[in-house]
Amino acid sequence: MNFLQQALEYIFSAENWAGPAGLGARILEHLQYTGVAVAVSALIAIPIGLIIGHTGRGALLVVTGVNALRALPTLGILLLGVLLWGLGLLPPTVALTLLGVPPLLAGTYAGIANVDPNVVDAARSMGMTEARVLTRVEIPTAMPLILGGLRTATLQIVATATVAAYASLGGLGRYLIDGIKVRQFHIALVGALLVTALALLLDAVLAAAVWVSMPGSGRLRRRIPQPLVDDEMRLETQPPRRTPDYSGRDPAPPGGGASPNVEGW
């Protein structure tokens, strides 16, 4: 029996999903680590990207900072955090946050900076404040790139969150470390397969969010109810009503000729 068959049998066995150390609990722990790291990364990177992209100041800082953060080894940061703060949730959160900041910062800055300047100037000429220009014009236009950065950051974090097991935490990385330690490699393969499936699922959800947020597509716009549309079309096809004449004079004949009173006079 090969490792893949053993791993699939382990995954599809119902008894392996129950309990505090079951597959269901490990998946929830993995999602918890991922969600915390993505949220902290977004709170740091998105405001900085919005400010720099809107003002145009500090673009060199973005490029330099993104490249520097991408060069940091996640496992090395985790081990340094364990030495500084001990075991727990803080070291993997810091390591994963530093992994998620660069794509979020780059996506947010690129999205805001690439908004058409003519659109921004038109919004300012209408009297919009800088805050309204940012929130009502630039952010909706840049939303696909911002969500694209979120998508990249989420995939990188969910795939790397297995390092949390090095800090004596749970998650799907527990299967990788424990399986290799006891030389049961099909257990390690279980962790790898579940991480892959989780990453693909999150990628599909975020790809759909990017597709919906495309500007000009109208996918987020509320559709007018069909009865209202039908009533409007019916009103357009009806002939205009004739206004009643209350002056007491005789109406003109249908043929357009002179009235009998005029001819008799």
Side-chain angles (χ1 to χ4, degrees), residues 13-253:
S13 297
E15 62 271 12
N16 295 326
W17 288 81
L23 292 174
R26 295 304 186 193
I27 291 175
L28 292 178
E29 291 172 351
H30 199 89
L31 289 175
Q32 176 188 356
Y33 306 148
T34 302
V36 170
V38 170
V40 176
S41 301
L43 290 176
I44 295 173
I46 291 181
I48 296 175
L50 292 177
I51 294 173
I52 296 178
H54 179 72
T55 61
R57 302 171 184 173
L60 181 61
L61 177 64
V62 173
V63 176
T64 305
V66 166
N67 292 332
L69 290 176
R70 283 176 174 170
L72 295 176
T74 303
L75 186 57
I77 296 173
L78 175 64
L79 295 178
L80 179 62
V82 170
L83 293 176
L84 293 176
W85 304 304
L87 299 175
L89 185 60
L90 183 59
T93 300
V94 172
L96 295 175
T97 298
L98 294 178
L99 180 66
V101 165
L104 270 170
L105 181 58
T108 305
Y109 165 73
I112 299 297
N114 289 326
V115 175
D116 190 355
N118 295 327
V119 177
V120 177
D121 292 339
R124 288 176 178 147
S125 65
M126 293 172 61
M128 286 189 178
T129 62
E130 293 299 319
R132 288 179 65 87
V133 169
L134 178 62
T135 57
R136 302 292 296 273
V137 177
E138 291 179 333
I139 291 180
T141 306
M143 190 58 67
L145 286 177
I146 297 176
L147 291 178
L150 178 64
R151 177 184 177 185
T152 303
T154 302
L155 291 181
Q156 291 181 356
I157 290 175
V158 75
T160 316
T162 53
V163 299
Y166 283 100
S168 297
L169 296 177
L172 296 176
R174 197 77 264 162
Y175 295 100
L176 294 172
I177 294 178
D178 295 344
I180 294 175
K181 182 178 180 181
V182 299
R183 300 186 65 83
Q184 293 184 2
F185 299 109
H186 69 282
I187 300 296
L189 186 56
V190 167
L193 291 176
L194 291 178
V195 170
T196 303
L198 197 59
L200 291 176
L201 179 61
L202 292 176
D203 181 59
V205 172
L206 293 174
V210 173
W211 177 77
V212 169
S213 67
M214 293 296 292
S217 62
R219 301 185 182 107
L220 292 178
R221 187 180 305 167
R222 289 186 60 185
R223 298 184 60 185
I224 301 177
Q226 192 64 30
L228 297 180
V229 178
D230 295 339
D231 293 341
E232 183 178 356
M233 294 177 61
R234 190 179 302 112
L235 290 174
E236 291 178 354
T237 56
Q238 287 180 354
R241 293 183 178 180
R242 184 176 179 179
T243 305
D245 187 4
Y246 299 103
S247 62
R249 291 178 294 183
D250 295 333

